[in-house]
Amino acid sequence: RLSRRIKHRLTRIRYLQTFLDAYEEDGWGGSAHRKLKPTKELDKSMQQILDAKKAIREDLRRLDPAQALLDPTEIRMREEDFDEGGIDVDKVVCAVCGSGEAVMGNDILMCDLKNCYRAYHQQCHHPRVDALPTDDEDWVCCQCSHYCECLEEVNDSFGTHHASWEKMFPELGEAPEEAGAGDDEEYDSQEDDDYQPL
């Protein structure tokens, strides 16, 4: 649902930006000198773009597996369990079932994305992992993969290359704290008049 919301907001921003660009490019030149500038509408569109960017950044924060907001019941290893050599194999447990047992065809894979601290049995992960990665191949869990895809989509839309939600939209100012307000707020569809959840 969060990814659909992000896509909707990106579409909304593109629509509003097209409206603003139309007046920026030729709205007041040449034969358009008699037109009245829709100041209120332009200001409203600019504010809606800023609001949508703030909402996108918050959605990305919620998607970030390092925040542990999507499924707080999942078991995560602790940062202090890791050292320069990695983590003690005895401390590796599946984020879903909590077991550290691994058998042929149901090995435990650790996500390689920074700050994820999750491991999954091949059969506990959704979707199931049929083929093990090679020794020189990174493996990223489904949550991290989903987060990275959404982050990439936002970057592509704005021509940016930010590696995390914290760096997204610097014009908005400092990103909210991890435990900032709004963690448990329900999405208000009134903020996007044409948002139609599936």
Side-chain angles (χ1 to χ4, degrees), residues 163-178:
S164 67
W165 64 269
E166 294 98 331
K167 303 296 183 183
M168 195 63 67
F169 308 130
E171 67 272 20
L172 298 178
E174 187 176 345
E177 294 294 328
E178 290 185 9

Side-chain angles (χ1 to χ4, degrees), residues 3-193:
S3 61
R4 291 202 307 270
R5 195 184 303 175
I6 289 172
K7 289 178 182 178
H8 166 77
R9 286 174 167 144
L10 290 173
T11 300
R12 180 71 176 158
I13 287 175
R14 284 191 289 269
Y15 169 79
L16 293 168
Q17 193 60 55
T18 299
F19 171 68
L20 293 174
D21 291 344
Y23 281 95
E24 184 69 26
E25 291 175 4
D26 59 4
W28 318 115
S31 60
H33 67 280
R34 293 182 180 177
K35 291 182 180 179
L36 294 175
K37 185 175 181 179
T39 305
K40 288 185 179 180
E41 287 78 5
L42 293 173
D43 289 345
K44 181 179 178 182
S45 294
M46 287 187 285
Q47 185 58 52
Q48 286 177 338
I49 288 175
L50 288 176
D51 291 343
K53 287 180 175 180
K54 289 177 184 177
I56 287 172
R57 190 167 67 177
E58 173 60 15
D59 287 341
L60 287 171
R61 184 182 77 86
R62 292 184 180 202
L63 278 174
D64 182 2
Q67 304 295 315
L69 296 174
L70 290 182
D71 189 355
T73 64
E74 280 196 330
I75 301 168
R76 304 175 74 211
M77 288 163 281
R78 300 173 303 171
E79 184 176 358
E80 53 266 30
D81 291 337
F82 290 79
D83 56 28
E84 294 180 1
I87 185 172
D88 187 339
V89 68
D90 293 331
K91 295 181 179 179
V92 177
V93 296
C94 176
V96 176
C97 71
S99 171
E101 297 286 328
V103 297
M104 183 70 69
N106 195 26
D107 205 349
I108 297 182
L109 300 169
M110 286 191 59
C111 181
D112 288 311
L113 195 71
K114 183 179 179 182
N115 297 328
C116 178
Y117 305 126
R118 290 178 179 87
Y120 295 87
H121 280 113
Q122 289 177 255
Q123 295 180 16
C124 289
H125 186 267
H126 181 76
R128 172 182 168 149
V129 181
D130 293 321
L132 292 174
T134 60
D135 290 339
D136 59 347
E137 183 181 16
D138 285 341
W139 181 78
V140 179
C141 72
C142 59
Q143 286 194 33
C144 289
S145 177
H146 189 55
Y147 167 67
C148 291
E149 287 171 5
C150 289
L151 195 63
E152 182 178 3
E153 186 167 0
V154 176
N155 274 318
D156 287 346
S157 294
F158 293 96
T160 54
H161 304 281
H162 300 301
S164 67
W165 64 269
E166 294 98 331
K167 303 296 183 183
M168 195 63 67
F169 308 130
E171 67 272 20
L172 298 178
E174 187 176 345
E177 294 294 328
E178 290 185 9
D183 285 355
D184 300 318
E185 290 179 2
E186 289 296 322
Y187 171 65
D188 182 4
S189 62
Q190 292 180 349
E191 67 187 62
D192 289 318
D193 295 335

